[in-house]
Amino acid sequence: MAAEPTASVMDAQAISLQQLEQASDALDAVRRSLDDADSSETLQALSDKTLQSKRDADSAVTALEPLLKQLDARIAQLGPVVEGTEESPELTQQRKDLSQQHSDLDSAIKRGKLLSVEAKQAGDNIEKIRTQQFNAQIARKVASPLSPSLWKKFATDLPVDLQRIHGLIRLGESSFGAAIEKHGHRTPMLGALLALVLMFPLRMWLRRLGRRFAASDHAPNGRLRRSGLAVWMLIVGTVLPGLASLVFIEALRSIDAIAPRLQLVADAWIKGSFVAAFFLSVSASLLVPQHPSWRLLNIDDEAAPKLTRLAWGAAGLTWFTIMLNAVDIAARTSDVSSVALDGLIALIYAALIISVLVVIKKQRKRQQVIDQEKAAQHSDEHRPATTSNWLMFAWLGGHLTVLAALIGALIGYLNFSVFVATQMVWVTVVVLATTLLMKFADDFFGWLCSAESRIGKGISLGLGMKAARVEQIGVLLSAFSRVCLMLLGLLALTAPYGNSSSLLNMTDTLTKGLPIGDSVLRPMTIVRGLAVLVAGLTIFRTLQHWLVETYLPKTELDIGARNSISTVARYVGITLSALWTLAALGIGFEKVALLASALSVGIGFGLQAITQNFVSGLILLAERPVKLGDRVRIGDQVGDIRRISVRATEIQTDDKSTVIVPNSEFITKSVQNLTMDGALGRISIAFSVPLNTDIVKLREVLLGLYKEHDNVLANPAPSMYVDSINGSVVNITSFGHVSSSRNVYSTRSDLLFGLLQRCAEQKIPLVSATDIHLIQDRPAPPPPVTDRPPELDDSDKRPAT
């Protein structure tokens, strides 16, 4: 039978091959157009095409590789041709067809990989050209604005440029009129009406809705109220105005009301609307001039309205600059007009930045006055005036920007001047927006995983985790989101430079994953593995909880056996969850076995103690020489076993302290289990009585005390023995048993109290300790004193000197 692939395999192979052909054709078109590309916009379009070609090639290779593996499996199933045997014609034809399919797929995969490399190289080449053009444009020097020749030439070319702009306007009017005559006013009127609804009623209603929710009791408590409202205002203020412009322009395009030469102007209209709306929404969400209590920045009530008006000026100037560049390209105006307008725009940007610096400086002075007044009122606490870090950064960056823009404009580097001024404004807005989003992410995940929030409590109860552990998860999620937002901010900062394609290419490279042997760990694969790990741990934790709380209490097993089963089930669940996660990551068990064999050397040398304790823990859980609740003596420590894990055992002593003993101690050393197999506790009381004591009466008294006590067992029966007779003393020893060794000490104390009391009542003397007194003899009296002097010793005789 011939080896015919299934319909789905053939369709997937055909789609992938067609995708490769399209990517190859697109890359060839980029190469042909690259020589004629002279503008930054054209190079940007070519860079986007090369990136799309690379993505198509990678996607085709990813789709074809599983098909090649399937063919390999089918060829391996056929096996090699056995020498000396003759195969059937059908099997020979099948082997031939499979080999041909394998060759075709292998060639297609190699072609796709080569195409991906070529597309990447073409993209790098385009980025080099764009960088060179950008540097040349920034470094281009023209006549200084102070030079009369520049303005003289501008005055000469201005009438021609105005005629070109009027011609562009007439072209737009004629195209619009022709479209209206053909399609009528309905579509543009509906587009304009929908744009107005998005721009004004809907935007204002959503802003009021966000404020009402933030002020209500339904909003979460804490900092999330303010940061959440600020992010809501940012999203609403950016998306709706830009979406309104997009709807209006697309309505005109749907009836061909925009001339081909004006398509770039229409795109600039949409882009400028989004950028200007972004500027205004960032300032509105952070400054909040009408509601100071919601303000996130350290700005007073006097500076906030002024900065808001300056933000409007920056947004309007940015929109005008974007539109002006598009009109210059579409109308093909002269270079001198572009240069003159760029110089004027640079000066206006510098004036806006200077105004912002003046406002910030006045606020600093007001803050210093307030701090001085507070210091005068509290003279015992001298605190220096504090200034916000971002204000100092804005003050320093603004002065440097104004200085560079003015110097560049005066010496003729107008492009550099415009670039510096616009980048200062753009960087400030992007940094403020990124800071706001990072603060919101921190507040959101902190609230989400808080022990006080309803969701945090649900996560804690559902996963059986402590509140502190859930809060740690919130901190990790916050850190991850902040890193992602920083990368997005970096992408936004590099967008005006024209290097966004390079960052997107790097992103594609990261999304391809990390190769590990024959497997590749991709971001989505890692996310899927984490989800599988969490699901597995949750399932097995739920199963363990059911065992401990529901099933095992219904059995006849003691608490030690239940603990062993629960512990083993826990570790089995962890092991199975880990294996399930590895399978989800695409890491086969053979790689795990290889890793385990590589680690065995390290285990043999450096992890002997840990491995020994682990194996000993498994033996303890299986053989149960000691179990939960047993009272043991190991070395000089006596206590009750409270917990047995696979590494160590916890013993609680009588003083309520916990001794952690490695499991290997229970296997390699002698351990006395005081409660194993229902072991009883034995009480031993030894004392002495005089020789003339009535021993029979003493026996009745002592055995009666044993019988009266509730803890003393009747079987084995208590007993009393005469241990020895030593002179005038009879030594007595008695024994009794209690149900557990834990009751020995307290019961023995009660019996001793009762023995002393009964012996006193029955006049039975007990021998007390003998007092020994040492009496020394009195010293001899001194000899009588006589008139004769004492004779000197030989030692007292001194020669005369």
Side-chain angles (χ1 to χ4, degrees):
M1 184 177 74
E4 294 293 338
T6 61
S8 59
V9 173
M10 293 180 62
D11 293 341
Q13 183 176 350
I15 293 173
S16 300
L17 293 177
Q18 183 180 3
Q19 196 173 12
L20 280 178
E21 291 295 335
Q22 294 176 355
S24 179
D25 295 340
L27 187 59
D28 292 338
V30 168
R31 289 169 178 167
R32 290 192 300 268
S33 303
L34 188 59
D35 296 334
D36 299 331
D38 54 354
S39 64
S40 178
E41 290 77 12
T42 305
L43 290 174
Q44 175 67 43
L46 294 179
S47 179
D48 293 339
K49 290 181 179 179
T50 56
L51 180 60
Q52 185 61 40
S53 299
K54 183 179 183 302
R55 289 176 174 174
D56 292 341
D58 292 337
S59 177
V61 170
T62 304
L64 291 175
E65 284 179 344
L67 302 180
L68 184 63
K69 290 182 179 180
Q70 293 178 10
L71 282 178
D72 290 336
R74 296 172 66 183
I75 293 174
Q77 188 175 12
L78 290 178
V81 179
V82 181
E83 295 183 1
T85 60
E86 183 178 355
E87 292 184 336
S88 63
E90 293 82 2
L91 188 59
T92 302
Q93 183 64 33
Q94 185 178 6
R95 191 185 299 275
K96 182 179 179 180
D97 293 341
L98 288 176
S99 299
Q100 184 63 38
Q101 294 175 19
H102 186 279
S103 178
D104 294 340
L105 279 178
D106 186 62
S107 300
I109 291 174
K110 291 179 179 178
R111 181 188 175 192
K113 292 180 178 179
L114 179 61
L115 187 62
S116 176
V117 174
E118 291 177 349
K120 183 178 182 304
Q121 292 175 351
D124 294 340
N125 189 23
I126 293 174
E127 292 301 326
K128 286 183 180 180
I129 297 175
R130 295 184 63 191
T131 303
Q132 292 173 0
Q133 290 186 358
F134 177 77
N135 294 335
Q137 184 179 5
I138 292 298
R140 187 178 65 176
K141 184 178 180 181
V142 296
S144 172
L146 301 178
S147 173
S149 60
L150 174 65
W151 300 107
K152 183 178 180 180
K153 187 171 178 55
F154 173 73
T156 303
D157 294 343
L158 182 60
V160 179
D161 292 338
L162 291 177
Q163 290 179 0
R164 292 176 178 176
I165 293 174
H166 285 305
L168 189 66
I169 294 174
R170 287 193 299 269
L171 177 62
E173 290 176 351
S174 62
S175 178
F176 181 77
I180 293 299
E181 291 180 0
K182 182 178 181 180
H183 300 282
H185 292 82
R186 181 179 179 181
T187 300
M189 291 296 292
L190 288 177
L193 181 61
L194 182 57
L196 290 175
V197 170
L198 292 172
M199 185 68 183
F200 295 105
L202 182 61
R203 182 174 63 90
M204 294 178 179
W205 178 76
L206 289 176
R207 287 165 64 93
R208 288 195 299 269
L209 181 65
R211 291 194 185 99
R212 285 200 301 267
F213 179 78
S216 65
D217 296 334
H218 300 289
N221 297 323
R223 301 177 304 177
L224 186 59
R225 284 176 178 260
R226 293 199 305 169
S227 60
L229 177 61
V231 171
W232 175 255
M233 303 291 283
L234 175 63
I235 295 174
V236 172
T238 302
V239 173
L240 290 182
L243 189 60
S245 300
L246 179 63
V247 167
F248 179 68
I249 295 298
E250 291 300 326
L252 295 179
R253 280 176 174 167
S254 64
I255 60 173
D256 296 329
I258 302 177
R261 286 183 60 186
L262 290 174
Q263 293 292 334
L264 182 62
V265 179
D267 293 336
W269 179 284
I270 299 173
K271 177 182 177 182
S273 300
F274 273 108
V275 174
F278 177 64
F279 281 21
L280 294 177
S281 59
V282 169
S283 63
S285 60
L286 292 175
L287 296 175
V288 198
Q290 302 299 329
H291 300 84
S293 59
W294 297 100
R295 191 173 302 149
L296 295 175
L297 295 181
N298 188 17
I299 300 295
D300 56 20
D301 296 340
E302 184 175 349
K306 296 179 181 179
L307 292 177
T308 302
R309 289 192 292 270
L310 293 174
W312 275 89
L317 183 59
T318 302
W319 183 87
F320 177 77
T321 303
I322 294 174
M323 290 298 299
L324 183 61
N325 291 332
V327 170
D328 288 343
I329 295 173
R332 300 181 179 92
T333 57
S334 61
D335 294 337
V336 67
S337 299
S338 301
V339 169
L341 290 175
D342 288 343
L344 182 61
I345 291 172
L347 293 177
I348 297 175
Y349 269 119
L352 286 174
I353 296 173
I354 291 174
S355 302
V356 173
L357 295 176
V358 170
V359 174
I360 293 176
K361 183 177 180 180
K362 289 182 178 179
Q363 174 172 336
R364 289 180 59 196
K365 290 183 177 180
R366 290 192 297 269
Q367 186 65 39
Q368 290 175 358
V369 171
I370 294 174
D371 291 339
Q372 291 175 2
E373 292 177 355
K374 290 182 179 180
Q377 295 176 0
H378 305 281
S379 58
D380 54 337
E381 298 180 0
H382 296 284
R383 295 181 179 178
T386 57
T387 305
S388 178
N389 292 331
W390 81 267
L391 286 178
M392 291 297 298
F393 173 77
W395 181 82
L396 179 61
H399 279 79
L400 293 177
T401 301
V402 170
L403 181 62
L406 291 178
I407 293 176
L410 292 177
I411 63 178
Y413 291 98
L414 294 180
N415 290 333
F416 173 77
S417 179
V418 174
F419 173 76
V420 170
T422 54
Q423 288 309 299
M424 178 61 191
V425 176
W426 177 249
V427 168
T428 302
V429 173
V430 171
V431 168
L432 290 176
T434 304
T435 303
L436 170 60
L437 294 176
M438 291 172 64
K439 182 176 179 59
F440 169 74
D442 192 14
D443 297 340
F444 175 75
F445 287 110
W447 165 80
L448 185 68
C449 298
S450 174
E452 300 177 357
S453 67
R454 185 177 303 175
I455 299 178
K457 292 179 181 178
I459 295 174
S460 179
L461 293 176
L463 299 180
M465 303 173 63
K466 296 181 179 179
R469 191 67 58 84
V470 177
E471 291 179 356
Q472 292 175 8
I473 295 176
V475 173
L476 293 177
L477 291 176
S478 174
F480 177 75
S481 62
R482 288 166 70 92
V483 171
C484 294
L485 290 172
M486 289 180 64
L487 294 177
L488 289 177
L490 180 61
L491 181 63
L493 287 177
T494 57
Y497 298 92
N499 295 327
S500 56
S501 299
S502 299
L503 288 179
L504 292 176
N505 195 6
M506 293 174 57
T507 304
D508 289 345
T509 303
L510 291 176
T511 55
K512 289 177 63 177
L514 176 65
I516 300 180
D518 297 333
S519 303
V520 178
L521 287 182
R522 295 181 175 87
M524 290 305 300
T525 304
I526 297 175
V527 172
R528 183 170 65 249
L530 292 176
V532 168
L533 179 61
V534 172
L537 292 178
T538 303
I539 292 173
F540 288 111
R541 186 185 293 272
T542 304
L543 177 60
Q544 184 191 13
H545 181 75
W546 176 79
L547 282 174
V548 174
E549 301 295 335
T550 305
Y551 177 73
L552 292 178
K554 300 295 188 347
T555 63
E556 298 179 356
L557 300 175
D558 56 19
I559 187 172
R562 282 184 269 168
N563 175 73
S564 299
I565 295 174
S566 173
T567 304
V568 171
R570 175 170 176 264
Y571 286 102
V572 168
I574 293 174
T575 303
L576 293 178
S577 299
L579 295 177
W580 190 13
T581 303
L582 292 176
L585 292 175
I587 301 176
F589 295 153
E590 66 278 1
K591 297 183 178 63
V592 178
L594 182 62
L595 179 62
S597 62
L599 291 177
S600 61
V601 179
I603 293 174
F605 286 99
L607 303 177
Q608 293 181 1
I610 297 177
T611 306
Q612 184 181 14
N613 291 325
F614 179 80
V615 175
S616 300
L618 296 179
I619 294 175
L620 290 178
L621 293 173
E623 295 185 357
R624 299 175 61 219
V626 293
K627 58 183 182 298
L628 202 68
D630 284 355
R631 188 171 182 84
V632 297
R633 176 182 284 110
I634 179 169
D636 57 349
Q637 300 290 338
V638 179
D640 300 327
I641 295 179
R642 295 303 182 195
R643 183 173 180 269
I644 301 176
S645 64
V646 294
R647 191 195 66 84
T649 299
E650 297 179 4
I651 299 177
Q652 187 179 49
T653 59
D654 294 334
D655 58 358
K656 302 303 180 183
S657 63
T658 300
V659 180
I660 300 176
V661 182
N663 289 331
S664 59
E665 297 288 324
F666 290 91
I667 303 300
T668 59
K669 294 185 178 181
S670 299
V671 180
Q672 183 180 5
N673 193 333
L674 302 177
T675 56
M676 187 175 182
D677 295 332
L680 304 178
R682 192 180 73 163
I683 301 172
S684 175
I685 298 178
F687 59 95
S688 301
V689 294
L691 186 60
N692 58 355
T693 302
D694 188 350
I695 299 299
V696 176
K697 184 178 180 180
L698 177 62
R699 177 185 176 89
E700 294 177 356
V701 169
L702 185 56
L703 296 181
L705 288 174
Y706 280 112
K707 184 177 181 180
E708 293 173 1
H709 202 285
D710 295 335
N711 291 342
V712 178
L713 300 177
N715 187 20
S719 59
M720 188 191 86
Y721 301 97
V722 176
D723 187 57
S724 63
I725 299 176
N726 187 6
S728 60
V729 175
V730 179
N731 296 319
I732 304 298
T733 301
S734 64
F735 300 101
H737 292 83
V738 292
S739 59
S740 173
S741 60
R742 299 182 182 88
N743 301 329
V744 170
Y745 193 82
S746 59
T747 305
R748 184 172 180 272
S749 176
D750 295 340
L751 293 174
L752 288 175
F753 272 109
L755 178 63
L756 293 175
Q757 183 180 2
R758 293 290 178 86
C759 288
E761 293 174 356
Q762 299 295 331
K763 305 299 183 181
I764 299 175
L766 298 176
V767 175
S768 58
T770 303
D771 293 335
I772 301 176
H773 299 279
L774 299 178
I775 302 175
Q776 298 181 354
D777 295 336
R778 295 180 179 179
V785 180
T786 60
D787 295 336
R788 182 181 177 181
E791 295 182 358
L792 297 175
D793 298 338
D794 293 339
S795 60
D796 291 332
K797 294 179 181 180
R798 305 280 194 276
T801 58

